[in-house]
Amino acid sequence: MFLFPHTEEHPFSHLIDTLKDGDLKFFNPQKLNDAKYDKLPLAIRVLLEAAIRKCDHFYVKEEDVHNILNWSQQQNVVEVPFSPGRVLLQDFTGIPAMVDLAAMRDAVSKHGVDPSLVNPVCPTDLIVDHSLQIDLIFLCRPETVLKTQEMELIRNKERLQFFKWCSKAFKNVNVVPPDVGAVHQVNLEYLSRVVQESQGFIHPDSVVGTDSHTTMINGLGVLGWGVGGIESEAVMLGQPVSLTLPQVVGCKLVGSINTLATSIDIVLGITKHLRQAGIAGKFVEFFGPGVSQLSIPDRTTIANMCPEYNATVSFFPVDHVTLKHFRQTNFTEEKLELLEAYLKAVKLFRSYEDSSEDPQYSEVVEIDLSSMTPHVSGPKRPQDRVAVSNMKEDFQSCLNEKVGFKGFHISKDKQDTLVPFLHAGQEYELAHGSVVIAAVISCTNNCNPSVMLTAGLLAKKAVEAGLSVKPYIRTSLAPGSGMVTHYLNTSGVLPYLSQLGFEVIGYGCATCVGNTTPLPEPVTEAIKQGDLVACGVLSGNRHFEGRLYDQVKANYLASPPLVVAYAIAGTVGINFEKEPLGVTSEGKEVFLRDVWPTREEVHHIEQDKVISSIFTELRARREKGNLFWNNLECPESVVFPWDPKSTYIRSPSFFKNLCKEVQPPQSIENAHVLLFLGDKVTTDHISPAGSIARVSAAAKYLLSQRLTPREFNSYGARRGNDAVMTRGTFASIKLQNRFIGKPAPKTLHIPSGQTLDVFEAAERYQKDGVPLIILAGKGYGSGNSRDWAAKGPYLLGVRAVIAESFENMHKNHLVGMGVMPLQFLPGQNADSLELCGKERFTITLPDDLSPKQQLTVKVGETLKTFSVTTLFDNEMDLAFYRHGGLLQYVARTLL
């Protein structure tokens, strides 16, 4: 369905060249204008090639091609389409996307349309083995890892059966089965092509994915970025991504890397520089002689962090280092010869030492690699970096500061509080700064062998020196894939990590999304008793207060070796230069410098034992397959047979009013405010991914379905059930609703004056036929992209969100669900307009609604009004809104 219209002769057929004696064709954009092409950043050259190849006078016009070619004049001015080569889904975001397509088959079949027409047009890879719930606490032997994986497969059998049905029922869907790895890891190891071949043409690989780590792939020279679940569905169904032709910041790397700095230190240093450079929404492209010093794992780790400095991509063009990496992986010499010949033919291959190849950039940021020193980020936000050498003093200042982005406001007389407790028959003490969670998790760092080997070698030296980790600390190792376990084992460091408590608990997202084993009860009670600022340290790329565990107020992002180091120390209040990491049973002080491996040690093991063995093992695992998946039965029908008793997979209600005729959007009259929110409301607040609280609206529903709390699983696991996800909308215990005055998943039902769960209040409003809006401050919808953060409010009856500003991806999600994003005028907000939120609001929509149009909002029965701006970017946004959202728009084209 939704194939691109085409003419008999391609409008740019004169640009076709050939390779391999004419057997393979490709479009050569240089032929348009060689001088202009040579000045384009290489990431823009990829956009240009895709526009030429996909030009059909419908979605992609010749004008779009020339706008991209004239990038230097058109950047940040015009909208251009981009048709990526593939779509990447992980299980959490993939299951609602596939459930939507299955429901669309139902809907169109009821109107007499062949349901088999509903298929993705763009090749789609869905990785099942991504998100992992930690619910076993006795992981001390290798066999318990297998037990964890078996339990995970059995518990998620229903979802896996649905995924397997998708792999058979839909064309262009490739489901990567369990026990292969997390989405970002599999994308790097298995799915990346660099150059694709289709219909006799070769072209650059490119991808959009529903995971924030999709950007890792740019480290391989593959252009790719994260999109929301709703946007990914549009691409799957043939719609190109629409983006403002981006500015491209050239990041010039110079200098030599400090011998003590890990790639994470380089990542965080570059992140800080680029965040300060103000590059939100821009592309970043790396160049300069320093790039050649970075291995491919270093580059992918750096590329992964671009969401943290708000860039769209951080692109590393292919060079000789990339080719050397591919020779050690699963690329044949024939494929490498073709790849190199094609990339050089279209000038997508770089020699970073040759400055004559440098293109023109919108601006250049120069970074000296020799200036990078070890840092962590926290205690509440990833952008707050702290030098490890200054960690002790910084944490003390956080205790003193008022409650805010960094402060906890602990009175001076309570800062030295020590709370004794018993664990496993032995007495310990907790204080402010005590580490209670230490997690080396699947995202960001684990794909980098050098960083993980540094952690493993540090563990080895620490164990050999007689150090250990206190047993009450929740330590875990959740590798991105079995390859990480393989190379840790091959290099001989895995047993030492295990001795320190860092057992492999499985492959997928765990601690970072709140899937943490509950802390021992004595630890929790001690934290409560002393009102302690307990700490978590994790090797991820995101954290928010309370995300890891409710009682853990301070959370720091750190490199894997520093996670191990802080776990051994048992506190973040330590100066590693002056204070020992630990004391042996003989009373000997051991400092961090005594056990920290040199860069030369790490690289020797990486090159000697790791890289090639990774891909040898990967091929063996793929060939062996997964026995549970292979034997799993699934329906053979074209339309999915929904089980009315299922609490995991349910046909959503998005298509219940589907009809051929388009009903124009109605004005919003006398709406009540469902929630009155402040700044930085994240998608974690709107649609949590972690465990389901026993007193929540979702829990009440699951109890009514005769499930026990042990069977609740998580919101992420139940994203295929709209009944759970709607009830889970705004269910975060950290939600700051100004109607309530304290963090709680509650709101005020204005007509009755009652404080209710958000779902229960919305349900009452819907029964009374009252439309709803949300008032919010700055940065509404920041954080991870989540389609249910837009679907949930839509199903609650929210017609519009009025905020000071929006995170762009979430804004697009709202548009895709038919919820209108409205922005206060500059300098205005709910407070400056003296809104209390209890008023009723009327928003009149004109018949000729246009992008970026100002609308008038009437407040109550008074004469008071204020203006807002619609955040529809283009006519496609308006089309989605007029049809009631993307899904209805697509389904209606088939009727």
Side-chain angles (χ1 to χ4, degrees), residues 36 39 74 85 141 143 201 208 232 283 285 337 372 384 445 506 578 582 621 649 652 659 728 768-769 771 791 836 860:
K36 288 184 178 180
K39 295 179 181 179
Q74 299 293 346
R141 300 177 306 277
E143 58 267 26
F201 278 82
V208 293
S232 71
F283 281 19
E285 185 169 297
E337 289 175 7
M372 305 301 175
D384 296 323
N445 310 311
K578 300 178 181 179
R621 288 168 66 88
I649 308 294
C659 59
D768 295 335
K791 290 176 177 177
C836 71

Side-chain angles (χ1 to χ4, degrees), residues 76-87:
N76 213 30
V77 175
V78 298
E79 291 276 327
V80 296
F82 174 56
S83 299
R86 53 193 174 92
V87 174

